[in-house]
Amino acid sequence: MNMVAGSGASTVDTAAGRFRIRLDGPADAPVLVFSNSLGTTLEMWDAQAERFARDWRVLRYDTRGHGGSEVTPGPYGFDRLGGDVVALLDALGIPRASFCGISMGGFTGLWLGVHAGDRLNHLVVANSAARIGTAEGWLSRAALVREKGTAAMAELAASSPGRWFTDAFSAAQPAVVRQAQAWIAGIPPEGYAACCEALAHADLRPQIGGIRVPTLLIAGTADPVTTVADAQAMRAAIPGAQLVEVPASHLSNLEAPEAFDDALGSFLRTQAPR
């Protein structure tokens, strides 16, 4: 493993490529991994890292194609995006970890639950679904981003608040909204498009019934992208899964951090690994 430090984050070379990560919390504490949504970076978890690093070794990373992680040519698939997490754990010498992902990161968690459950102590899937959107929608977005490049990312940044936050939150917390827009505007177009292609072909509905990791599902009551009904369908399919609804739209950890953190903390405290 080659680790290069910088500005609170590190770059780690793994068997799957180079990733930008950040580690916080006691070195001997159990590991909690946070995985970002499409169009964001590991900084989206700043509030959660501050809270959970008191008792956990918190590992955050930029998904492939995002932030400071490697941008490899697309299309990607979740065999690759999920495999990246396994490669990170291997490179850092972490045999098992608890995992919390939101939206695309939540789907990565479902993939891990299906294909690498032996590496997980807990699985938290927030604002996600076993099938997100439609292939046509994701492929159209990928094509547009490849065609228009950074101009398309700027357009996505302008339109993202309507998908990510309630109108009331956007009005009350403009600084948070501007930061989220800056994240998506700065994502490399190829990385974003390649992740759209991964989502286009991703459908774990036939497989999530095989997940045996203790699972918490978090849904935003006002989420138009991955709805409460999507979370209810996952709860019905995953044995023993719990569901908590929080008053938020799609990026619920940013819009309702206290409710999100309370749900996550309670689950991690009370649900023993299998």
Side-chain angles (χ1 to χ4, degrees), residues 228-249:
V228 171
D230 289 321
Q232 291 170 337
M234 289 190 290
R235 180 180 59 182
I238 300 171
Q242 301 176 29
L243 170 59
V244 174
E245 299 177 23
V246 298
S249 185

Side-chain angles (χ1 to χ4, degrees), residues 26 67 113 134 138 156 161 215 229:
T134 66
W138 289 120
L156 286 167
T215 300

Side-chain angles (χ1 to χ4, degrees), residues 1-13 18-21:
M1 177 186 68
N2 178 34
M3 180 179 289
V4 181
S7 65
S10 301
T11 300
V12 178
D13 288 327
R18 177 169 291 182
F19 296 90
R20 175 175 172 261
I21 71 165

